[in-house]
Amino acid sequence: MGGGVKKAIDFERLKQLLATDVVEGPTERYQFTWPDKKKAIRMANAPTNMTLRPCREESVNFDKTENLYIEGDNLEVLKLLREDYLGKVKMIYIDPPYNTGNDFVYEDDFSRTSSDYASNSGQEDEEGNRLVQNTESNGRFHTDWLNMIFPRLKVAKDLLADDGVIFVSIDDNEIENLKKVCNEIFGEKNFLACFKWNRVAKAPSLSGMVRTKYEYVLAYFKSTQPRLFGKASYNTQGPLWHLPNKRAELIFPARSIRITQSFAAGEYGGTYQVELLDDMIEESGLNKDAVRIRACSAWAQGRINSYVSSGKTFQIKKSPVTMYTDLDSEDNFIAPSDLIDDNECGVKRNTDAKEELRKLGIPFDYAKPISLPKYLAKTITYNTKDAIILDFFSGSGTTAQSVFELNVEDEGKRKFILVQLPEETEPTTEAFKAGYKDICKIGKERIRRAGKKILEEQTKTESEGGLFAPSESKPKVDVGFRVLKLDSSNMQDVYYRPEESSEATLFEDNIKPDRTPEDLLFQVMLECNLPLSAKIESKKIEGKEVFSVNNGYLMACFDREVNEDLIKEVAKAKPYYFILRDSSLTSDNVADNFEQIFQAYSKDTIRRIL
């Protein structure tokens, strides 16, 4: 895909320049396109035969945590997550390569078919790297970046909830192209904001042109425009009259308006033109009778009726022009500013990010400060404290630590899904010298240490009887994470290409010999639309290992020599799904009785054979 710049003549452009009249050609229309765009679209829509394999030894609190850390190509991972997490993710935050000329981008192979993916891990070398440096001398400099980002954003959109928001960090190099891509994928009308993040206190003084102090965070919503929390408002009331709206006649029931005096019918105010159509008589601090008012109202009659029915009252402070409503506590905030800085938002800078990692003993130079994704998460999950937050360019794991800290602050139960390719660290870096051979090792260790630090602080607070001490009603924050790794399918190649079967292979096991029962379990969890963070229990029935997921919603056994007694015990538990491997049943007689047992004890259970 890469290569040097090649000189070429654009003959269509040359004809236009040389002609005195307009040269006829294809119909012109407004569009945003680039080489291989159609292939990028197909890449997003192509199926995947990859799978996710659990890694208990690298996880923290594997059995109880609801957080996920996934290693592998994020495009393939997003495809695997698409069915399971369709419409369930409240927030996506990503910090993709900025395309500065030194960044690496994913080199997706557009010619690779889905069957090829079934027979290999989809990665380019033994370490799993699929990255190439996208230098400015590359004739496809912007093209390669667009082909990388487009399919990933397209698949990610499917994971967002209807009122979910995606935040994308970017700098000047690709801000224009990124906005055009997002307009196409999410819709121009779904653009929320282009935040400007104050990334440095002082811009580099040696810059030969403009000293840059800001980067950007583009924000788009899925389909339902959400309310973003900026900060708590000092106001407890909001004005009812809103000038741009049309004047309408509204009825206010008796004793629904707090007043300190009576008001005669008539016009009030010059700008708002509030007209009392009835006298408003004060009695015990309220209007004695129902009154009609003609004004430009922020609320329609139905909302006024609901407000009064809930036992709330309006207030007139000086004259009918100043009519106010009492704000609910969840509405008592103002929207965020499009400028993200330390003064107003408490968001730190790049130099602070390096210091945050230094305190954890993690050597890494290219992280965002914890406060940035934390601030963004608070804007959209302020009233959805059990939200799922996804970061599929997770780097050093900043998003995970921000979720931990935000949950501590407001007793939330937000969950994260982090995805990162195991990109090798450079041998000259401090990270490499410290033993971190790839970015995933940095991210996982950072999350472990951040979680340990939070638990230590919570334990200290608990022993001191502090305000935020955990209790039965305030459990300790979930600082664990399940590690899953992208790999080739658990199934043998012949499973996907039965036409290649031979007499010699016909009776071979259709599952690869290096795959564990838990590998197979996570495959079927995805196929049964169960979250990858679902509770898993392992029990022994008739000497065999039987998995129970989500309190028996799914039961599975991948051991051999499964007998009728085991099948009967499972059927009596009435799971929604029961999964066996093809070679599990101990005999043809057991296979013959399999359906009859379930018909007798749990005919509605969905049975599947791998």
Side-chain angles (χ1 to χ4, degrees), residues 402-549:
S402 71
V403 170
F404 289 165
E405 293 192 5
L406 189 53
N407 282 342
V408 170
E409 286 182 13
D410 64 9
E411 301 176 23
K413 293 185 178 179
R414 299 170 186 84
K415 299 165 278 286
F416 65 73
I417 302 174
L418 264 56
V419 185
Q420 177 60 44
L421 191 77
E423 175 188 348
E424 289 184 351
T425 52
E426 292 293 331
T428 56
T429 62
E430 291 300 316
F432 185 91
K433 294 173 184 176
Y436 301 106
K437 306 303 182 184
D438 62 58
I439 300 298
C440 289
K441 289 182 172 60
I442 294 173
K444 286 178 290 188
E445 186 59 24
R446 188 248 183 96
I447 301 169
R448 290 188 195 102
R449 295 186 186 188
K452 183 179 178 182
K453 181 181 177 183
I454 284 173
L455 289 183
E456 288 172 351
E457 290 173 351
Q458 282 197 316
T459 302
K460 180 181 178 182
T461 307
E462 186 175 20
S463 65
E464 295 172 353
L467 179 63
F468 298 104
S471 63
E472 290 186 4
S473 60
K474 300 178 186 177
K476 289 183 177 179
V477 66
D478 176 8
V479 294
F481 58 97
R482 279 183 182 175
V483 174
L484 306 172
K485 296 189 178 186
L486 184 72
D487 208 333
S488 60
S489 171
N490 293 317
M491 315 308 288
Q492 297 277 21
D493 293 351
V494 69
Y495 180 84
Y496 296 101
R497 296 195 289 272
E499 70 278 2
E500 297 179 13
S501 307
S502 65
E503 188 173 344
T505 63
L506 188 60
F507 297 102
E508 288 183 2
D509 196 337
N510 62 344
I511 296 170
K512 293 177 180 175
D514 65 329
R515 303 307 162 97
T516 68
E518 204 161 51
D519 290 336
L520 301 178
L521 179 67
F522 273 81
Q523 174 185 320
V524 300
M525 283 168 63
L526 281 170
E527 293 170 356
C528 296
N529 297 118
L530 279 164
L532 294 167
S533 59
K535 180 182 178 182
I536 300 171
E537 296 175 284
S538 174
K539 57 182 73 174
K540 288 289 185 180
I541 301 178
E542 295 295 315
K544 307 297 181 182
E545 184 178 34
V546 177
F547 294 103
S548 174
V549 184

Side-chain angles (χ1 to χ4, degrees), residues 11 76 229:
F11 287 102
E76 298 303 314
F229 177 94

Side-chain angles (χ1 to χ4, degrees), residues 196-382:
K196 292 170 280 294
W197 168 50
N198 186 192
R199 68 183 184 90
V200 293
K202 292 183 179 179
S205 58
L206 296 179
S207 174
M209 298 176 68
V210 175
R211 292 181 294 115
T212 304
K213 295 181 66 175
Y214 295 93
E215 289 181 3
Y216 307 96
V217 180
L218 276 182
Y220 283 78
F221 62 93
K222 171 82 170 281
S223 57
T224 304
Q225 185 169 349
R227 292 191 63 193
L228 297 187
F229 177 94
K231 60 181 180 180
S233 173
Y234 295 110
N235 298 322
T236 58
Q237 293 184 314
L240 179 62
W241 308 136
H242 188 56
L243 189 59
N245 293 356
K246 293 182 179 180
R247 295 186 77 197
E249 183 178 315
L250 303 165
I251 300 174
F252 292 82
R255 310 189 67 77
S256 64
I257 306 172
R258 304 194 301 273
I259 52 177
T260 57
Q261 66 181 81
S262 298
F263 297 96
E267 291 272 354
Y268 289 83
T271 304
Y272 285 94
Q273 296 182 345
V274 174
E275 183 181 1
L276 284 186
L277 301 177
D278 305 294
D279 292 335
M280 186 183 294
I281 308 300
E282 184 271 337
E283 182 180 80
S284 302
L286 297 168
N287 58 310
K288 180 182 177 182
D289 305 306
V291 293
R292 294 170 299 146
I293 302 177
R294 183 179 289 119
C296 301
S297 175
W299 292 5
Q301 185 68 57
R303 188 172 178 185
I304 289 173
N305 295 342
S306 298
Y307 181 82
V308 174
S309 297
S310 67
K312 298 174 183 176
T313 56
F314 300 91
Q315 181 180 14
I316 289 178
K317 292 189 175 180
K318 294 181 179 179
S319 80
V321 174
T322 55
M323 176 90 85
Y324 287 86
T325 65
D326 293 331
L327 298 176
D328 293 330
S329 57
E330 68 256 23
D331 294 327
N332 193 18
F333 61 85
I334 59 175
S337 163
D338 65 353
L339 176 62
I340 300 176
D341 62 4
D342 194 2
N343 292 333
E344 181 173 348
C345 309
V347 175
K348 303 299 183 182
R349 304 182 176 95
N350 272 340
T351 51
D352 299 287
K354 189 171 183 179
E355 178 62 16
E356 289 165 354
L357 284 170
R358 188 195 66 77
K359 289 180 179 178
L360 293 173
I362 303 291
F364 190 68
D365 294 331
Y366 305 106
K368 289 290 189 291
I370 300 164
S371 49
L372 178 59
K374 182 177 170 183
Y375 173 78
L376 297 173
K378 190 170 184 178
T379 66
I380 187 63
T381 68
Y382 65 95

